[in-house]
Amino acid sequence: LISAAYGGIADAAVEIGRQSAVGKRDDLTATLLGEMTNERTTAALAFESMVALANDFDFEPSVAATTEVLIRKLLATQAVIRTTTKALEVVGGRGYLRARGLERLVRDAVAGQFHPLTPARQHLFTGRIEMGLNPDDVAPRS
């Protein structure tokens, strides 16, 4: 599952955020760290649920199973994006410096929403299933 790599991205961003906060005692930093940690937990829970659905590859392939996995993949990816963004808020402008590595993590997190489906395509896929329609009967990508 490609989503496992995004958990590593989130973990690296969290570590940079935590290191940046060492010695700070203000409530804004504490709030940002709390939000960052909650988003990382959300990503982990979505990923764990996705792995549980795979049931060690003992499942019947179906459109219903596909949409359940795609939903969790999108939830995990979006939470990783929010995790890295919160880490960037904790670090501040210095987070854009390449030496810290955070700007790359943010960029890599955002890339996660493009495989296998963009959020809009995943929403369309799932929405068509919810409507009882064939998800394959959508307009071709441009």
Side-chain angles (χ1 to χ4, degrees), residues 114 116-118 121 138-142:
F114 298 109
L117 296 176
T118 64
R121 299 293 294 178
V138 297
R141 288 186 182 181
S142 52

Side-chain angles (χ1 to χ4, degrees), residues 3-80:
S3 296
Y6 292 98
I9 289 168
D11 289 342
V14 165
E15 185 57 30
I16 291 169
R18 286 179 180 152
Q19 288 174 2
S20 174
V22 170
K24 293 183 180 179
R25 301 184 57 79
D26 61 286
D27 286 345
L28 175 59
T29 301
T31 299
L32 291 171
L33 286 171
E35 291 172 347
M36 179 186 70
T37 303
N38 286 358
E39 292 298 346
R40 177 59 188 112
T41 301
T42 299
L45 291 171
F47 179 74
E48 289 167 10
S49 179
M50 190 174 11
V51 169
L53 284 173
N55 193 30
D56 202 24
F57 299 108
D58 183 22
F59 64 93
E60 284 295 319
S62 67
V63 172
T66 299
T67 196
E68 292 300 322
V69 169
L70 289 173
I71 289 167
R72 285 156 178 79
K73 183 262 180 195
L74 180 62
L75 293 174
T77 302
Q78 289 176 334
V80 169

Side-chain angles (χ1 to χ4, degrees), residues 60-140:
E60 284 295 319
S62 67
V63 172
T66 299
T67 196
E68 292 300 322
V69 169
L70 289 173
I71 289 167
R72 285 156 178 79
K73 183 262 180 195
L74 180 62
L75 293 174
T77 302
Q78 289 176 334
V80 169
I81 291 168
R82 291 189 302 268
T83 300
T84 59
T85 302
K86 285 297 170 186
L88 187 58
E89 286 183 60
V90 171
V91 174
R94 299 180 322 274
Y96 285 103
L97 300 175
R98 284 193 176 182
R100 285 197 182 268
L102 187 54
E103 54 83 26
R104 179 184 49 82
L105 295 171
V106 173
R107 183 185 66 238
D108 290 349
V110 171
Q113 61 191 334
F114 298 109
H115 30 76
L117 296 176
T118 64
R121 299 293 294 178
Q122 184 276 317
H123 293 147
L124 175 62
F125 184 92
T126 300
R128 289 187 64 81
I129 290 170
E130 290 296 316
M131 294 171 67
L133 301 173
N134 184 338
D136 293 329
D137 292 340
V138 297

